[in-house]
Each structure stands twice: as structure tokens, then as C-alpha cells.
Amino acid sequence: MDIERVNDTTIKFFITYKDIEDRGFDRDEIWYNRERGEELFFEMMNEASDNDEFELDGPLWIQVHALDKGLEIVVTRGQVSGGNVKLEIPVSHDKDHDDQDLVDLMSGNADGKVDKTSEPLEIVIGFNDFEDVISLSHNFHINDLHNELYHFEGTYYLHVIFDDETYNEDQQDDMLSQILEYGFESDISIYRIMEYGKEIVKANALPVIRDSFSR
């Protein structure tokens, strides 16, 4: 699980479904079992409190983004002054996401449903050596795939987004298998990489690298 401190009152989590399962929770269970959903949420909050000294006192505003690989959760702590609650909520520019209470989402009530099928397949592939990225670029010739390259903590990361309207599920699986011959699927969120890593190629990374490094 990745934890990012946004400001003094807001913290952001990204937790993959694999991480959720490794913690002993079923991927589907957390959406329909309120008690288990709450258990997972407070486990995450306690971990954030231990690691980042983020106090749990006061009302909390929670925004959940259900992504293809996991959950992005933004938690803002309200400040109580004179009996009034003040919330400095970060503005999200992504109108495709539903802003809901996490526990409501996980309990599966009518107001908490999220269309998880609307998100395109988005994945981060790690490479231990830049030579692996070059080799991939010369052996993977699909040029209309959204991909960008970053460097973070000694590792290269390729962020790939598949277009559901252009490629069906089988085609996406085939392309992903080809890419994974040269790298590995990373659990580090692209948000953390973009925030703290170095941008190498912003758009069309593989074609750019193919043209820049001949074989």
C-alpha cells in the first residue's frame, strides 16, 4: 500500500487488490460486507497514523476511486472550531469518478455503487535495466498505445493505458504478455512515481526510444 501526505489534513492511499487479498480480505467481500469493509479501512488508517502521524480525531471526509488495479482513497480530516466543522477538501478534476464514503461503497448500498467496468486497463511495468526497455521498444510495434516512461529509485517504469474501444480484452492480454517478457508488473502506484520520480518520455515512450536507440 502506498501512502502519500497531501497536506496537513489530507492523506492519500493507493492499495492494490492483491494487497487487499494479502491482508486477508476478499476482493468482492469488501464491497458487500460492511463490517469487513470498515475493518480494512481502519487498518489502513491505523497504518497511516503509525507511519505518518496522521491523527484520526475529528470527522473524516472520504473520496474513493475504484480503479482497475485497486483503490485510490483520499481522506481529509475536518477541523472543529467553535462547534463548526471546517473541511479543506482537495478538488478532483476527474469527473468520471464517484465521490463516496468508503464504508458506504464497501457495504454495497444503492448510493455507493461504482461502475468498475468503466475504467480502462491501466498498468505500471517495472524494468531493472534500461536495456530491457530498449529491447521491448524494438520488439513491440503497436504505436497507438498510451505509454510513458519514468525513473524512480533506480528502476524504470512504463505506464501503459489500454484503449477499450480499440482493443478487446484478449488483445489487451496478448499485448500485456508481450510487455511482461521484458519487465515485471509493479505494485507502486503511478501517482507516487509521477510525484517523486523523473519523467523520461511523456508520450509514445516506446516509439520514441525505438527511434532514439537503434539496434
Side-chain angles (χ1 to χ4, degrees):
M1 180 177 72
D2 292 328
I3 303 173
E4 176 186 345
R5 187 65 172 263
V6 178
N7 54 42
D8 290 340
T9 60
T10 300
I11 197 165
K12 181 190 293 184
F13 302 91
F14 179 79
I15 183 168
T16 65
Y17 292 121
K18 182 180 184 300
D19 193 0
I20 290 173
E21 292 171 352
D22 288 343
R23 292 167 180 263
F25 297 88
D26 184 84
R27 174 173 174 171
D28 294 324
E29 175 188 45
I30 61 171
W31 294 95
Y32 303 108
N33 185 319
R34 184 183 183 88
E35 182 177 342
R36 291 289 282 167
E38 290 177 344
E39 185 179 344
L40 173 63
F41 172 69
F42 287 111
E43 180 178 308
M44 294 166 62
M45 289 300 298
N46 287 330
E47 186 173 329
S49 179
D50 292 339
N51 295 343
D52 201 50
E53 299 181 354
F54 187 82
E55 298 296 333
L56 299 178
D57 296 334
L60 300 176
W61 177 88
I62 305 163
Q63 180 185 43
V64 179
H65 295 169
L67 306 177
D68 185 76
K69 300 299 294 182
L71 302 178
E72 181 191 69
I73 304 164
V74 180
V75 180
T76 299
R77 183 184 63 239
Q79 297 175 305
V80 180
S81 177
N84 297 318
V85 178
K86 180 182 179 182
L87 285 174
E88 296 182 1
I89 300 173
V91 177
S92 172
H93 298 289
D94 190 344
K95 297 180 181 180
D96 292 334
H97 291 302
D98 290 331
D99 299 345
Q100 300 287 349
D101 180 89
L102 175 64
V103 174
D104 284 341
L105 278 169
M106 292 183 173
S107 67
N109 64 28
D111 294 331
K113 291 182 179 179
V114 174
D115 181 7
K116 293 182 282 185
T117 62
S118 64
E119 291 294 330
L121 176 60
E122 183 173 355
I123 193 167
V124 176
I125 308 295
F127 301 86
N128 293 320
D129 195 300
F130 188 66
E131 283 294 324
D132 294 329
V133 183
I134 296 175
S135 296
L136 170 62
S137 72
H138 284 276
N139 291 281
F140 186 83
H141 296 280
I142 298 174
N143 295 328
D144 60 349
L145 194 66
H146 175 92
N147 62 103
E148 49 197 17
L149 186 68
Y150 296 87
H151 186 260
F152 176 60
E153 295 185 344
T155 302
Y156 290 92
Y157 293 97
L158 186 72
H159 178 221
V160 181
I161 301 177
F162 293 91
D163 186 350
D164 291 338
E165 296 182 0
T166 304
Y167 300 104
N168 61 37
E169 185 175 344
D170 289 338
Q171 291 171 318
Q172 293 180 27
D173 288 343
D174 181 64
M175 287 187 288
L176 181 56
S177 295
Q178 293 180 53
I179 296 173
L180 287 173
E181 290 181 12
Y182 299 88
F184 58 90
E185 185 174 348
S186 174
D187 287 334
I188 299 179
S189 77
I190 187 57
Y191 308 104
R192 181 178 177 187
I193 294 170
M194 292 173 69
E195 180 72 20
Y196 301 107
K198 179 181 179 180
E199 179 185 295
I200 306 298
V201 183
K202 177 60 179 175
N204 299 319
L206 293 178
V208 169
I209 291 169
R210 184 191 311 134
D211 292 340
S212 302
F213 297 89
S214 60
R215 283 286 182 172

